[in-house]
Amino acid sequence: MFQGFNEQISVLVSPVRFDTFSSSSFCELKIKSSEQINLNKGDFIKIFGKKRATVCKIKKISYGYKENNICLPYKIRNKYGINLNGFIRIQTFPKKTAKYVKLTPVDLDFKPTKKVIKFIRKKLLDMPLVKNDIILINIGFKRQIDFEVLNIQPTSPAQISTGTVIDMVLSYHQEEKIKEKLILTLTI
């Protein structure tokens, strides 16, 4: 049963029918019965992949299936080493709002123009984050920026909402120490 937080259940991984989700952080649940789970559309679940764990926002929940299923977009299955028709563990957690997030672009030639910042602000709102996760933000036609989550307060997982302060830093190694250079601070 999935009644309280921190309980885990096994679910069968299925593809999203038409991969229409606008973000790779959305999933769909197909559950045996409504008594089995205490979740609603818009809630967050933690997914344990082979490589590491991540967070998904529930886009849709359907009931009356033979097995518990989770439909995940290709991007998230590929990124976290999750195979189709295999079983993974999922876990509920209480919604927390992030007060502070520190991100670093994975690609070092990131240029924060006004247009790019507008897209980033729009895409980050309501996004669930986990420390050390890599998030993908589409900023235009076939253009995307990957960011690594360096820090999140309160502790991960948490959701970005209005009022969250985000620091974007450039991380690099110098003399065996990690140095950071502040690129941009924005408030959602």
Side-chain angles (χ1 to χ4, degrees):
M1 291 297 195
F2 216 18
Q3 297 301 320
F5 293 113
N6 296 325
E7 292 184 32
Q8 297 180 9
I9 63 169
S10 249
V11 291
L12 182 68
V13 178
S14 303
V16 173
R17 182 172 278 180
F18 296 108
D19 225 355
T20 55
F21 297 158
S22 60
S23 168
S24 63
S25 63
F26 286 109
C27 65
E28 180 180 342
L29 291 177
K30 296 179 180 179
I31 304 297
K32 290 180 189 178
S33 70
S34 58
E35 293 85 37
Q36 195 172 21
I37 197 163
N38 191 15
L39 287 171
N40 297 305
K41 178 182 170 185
D43 287 345
F44 295 101
I45 57 173
K46 193 171 188 177
I47 297 173
F48 298 91
K50 288 180 185 174
K51 296 178 183 176
R52 60 184 188 264
T54 190
V55 178
C56 275
K57 187 172 187 176
I58 300 172
K59 184 88 169 181
K60 183 179 176 184
I61 296 180
S62 306
Y63 299 102
Y65 289 85
K66 290 185 221 173
E67 294 187 69
N68 293 332
N69 282 274
I70 185 166
C71 301
L72 295 172
Y74 170 77
K75 288 178 186 175
I76 203 164
R77 291 192 320 262
N78 188 40
K79 187 160 93 171
Y80 296 98
I82 299 170
N83 297 325
L84 282 176
N85 301 319
F87 285 90
I88 61 168
R89 293 176 296 127
I90 63 173
Q91 174 183 339
T92 61
F93 62 87
K95 275 190 184 179
K96 290 189 268 181
T97 300
K99 291 180 173 60
Y100 172 77
V101 176
K102 187 190 292 185
L103 303 173
T104 185
V106 174
D107 191 7
L108 297 178
D109 68 345
F110 171 67
K111 305 281 188 278
T113 64
K114 285 183 182 181
K115 189 175 181 180
V116 169
I117 293 167
K118 181 180 173 184
F119 274 104
I120 289 171
R121 188 175 270 137
K122 181 180 173 185
K123 296 293 183 178
L124 286 176
L125 186 63
D126 294 332
M127 184 178 279
L129 297 178
V130 178
K131 187 176 178 180
N132 299 327
D133 198 4
I134 304 288
I135 57 171
L136 176 131
I137 298 175
N138 291 316
I139 60 165
F141 184 69
K142 293 189 177 184
R143 178 125 160 75
Q144 64 190 32
I145 300 173
D146 292 336
F147 289 96
E148 181 178 357
V149 181
L150 297 176
N151 193 4
I152 186 165
Q153 297 297 325
T155 58
S156 63
Q159 174 182 350
I160 293 180
S161 64
T162 306
T164 301
V165 176
I166 300 172
D167 278 347
M168 290 186 201
V169 297
L170 200 59
S171 294
Y172 55 94
H173 294 275
Q174 184 178 27
E175 298 172 16
E176 301 195 21
K177 291 183 181 178
I178 296 176
K179 300 285 184 177
E180 293 178 350
K181 176 184 170 188
L182 183 65
I183 300 173
L184 170 72
T185 298
L186 62 101
T187 304
I188 299 293

